[in-house]
Amino acid sequence: MVEIVKLYNAKSEAGGLPKLEIGIGITYRNTAPLYLLDGEDRIMISEALNLSDRLSGCHKLARKSLPNNRSVFNVFVLQTISEETAAGAMEEFLVRYNVNGICLSEDAFEKLRNEISFSTIEVELPLLWGKERVVLHSGAVPLSADVYQRLVVREATVPFVDPQKLQLKEMTTRRYFELCTSKVIYDYADKMVAGGG
């Protein structure tokens, strides 16, 4: 889907049209969904659907603060209030930036990590506040007997920031995961995993 949007946007930009933006959220829950009945129609509800909706979103504050993201990454998660203020509901208050990106929940990443083999590399790359340590997990998913789809997942730490100035206060212990879509990152991960870094 992201590749289709990129192709569409290249044509739109050439024609002077506005770009299309999407955000994708992928989550996993080891529980069956529930159904509500509306006459003959079944409406599926689940915690996974609610979370994937949050993961795919782009908060107004994030969009305003990061209008021209020049990073090779498309997903950022910021914490703007303290744990005490959130009173145990921090997930509801995280500020998400997901423009043409794919955000995985921690459960989805752990499920993926149990199903395929990842090589993990750590590098320093330019991010929001200069160069930061970036953890990349590189692996391949079998699509058929001899066809594989490469995946690179960025594991990142949620920063606690001042919501007015978007200045970094400290890094939290919360993590988030982005399924990378940039060819630059895939090429870089291939080089590092092959021992060329």
Side-chain angles (χ1 to χ4, degrees), residues 1 4 36 54 78 83 111 125 133 154 174 187:
M1 287 192 313
I4 291 169
L36 298 176
R54 283 198 301 272
L78 310 172
E83 294 283 344
K111 175 73 171 163
L125 294 172
R133 183 181 68 90
R154 174 175 70 112
R174 293 182 182 282
D187 291 346

Side-chain angles (χ1 to χ4, degrees), residues 29-136:
R29 289 290 188 261
N30 194 20
T31 57
L34 300 174
Y35 291 92
L36 298 176
L37 293 177
D38 180 15
E40 295 294 317
D41 297 324
R42 293 190 329 165
I43 302 168
M44 184 170 63
I45 60 170
S46 78
E47 184 182 345
L49 286 174
N50 292 338
L51 179 55
S52 66
D53 181 53
R54 283 198 301 272
L55 296 177
S56 68
C58 191
H59 193 277
K60 185 178 179 180
L61 174 63
R63 185 175 294 282
K64 180 182 170 187
S65 302
L66 307 170
N68 298 313
N69 175 27
R70 302 260 184 246
S71 170
V72 292
F73 301 113
N74 301 77
V75 175
F76 295 97
V77 180
L78 310 172
Q79 178 178 321
T80 57
I81 63 172
S82 68
E83 294 283 344
E84 297 78 27
T85 305
M90 183 57 74
E91 187 64 37
E92 302 291 328
F93 294 103
L94 293 175
V95 173
R96 298 183 185 282
Y97 176 89
N98 187 348
V99 175
N100 298 328
I102 304 170
C103 188
L104 300 172
S105 71
E106 190 162 352
D107 289 341
F109 173 72
E110 292 302 332
K111 175 73 171 163
L112 187 61
R113 185 158 51 182
N114 287 330
E115 293 183 357
I116 69 171
S117 178
F118 276 116
S119 297
T120 301
I121 56 176
E122 293 187 25
V123 295
E124 285 213 353
L125 294 172
L127 287 174
L128 300 179
W129 295 280
K131 283 198 167 187
E132 294 182 33
R133 183 181 68 90
V134 175
V135 178
L136 299 174

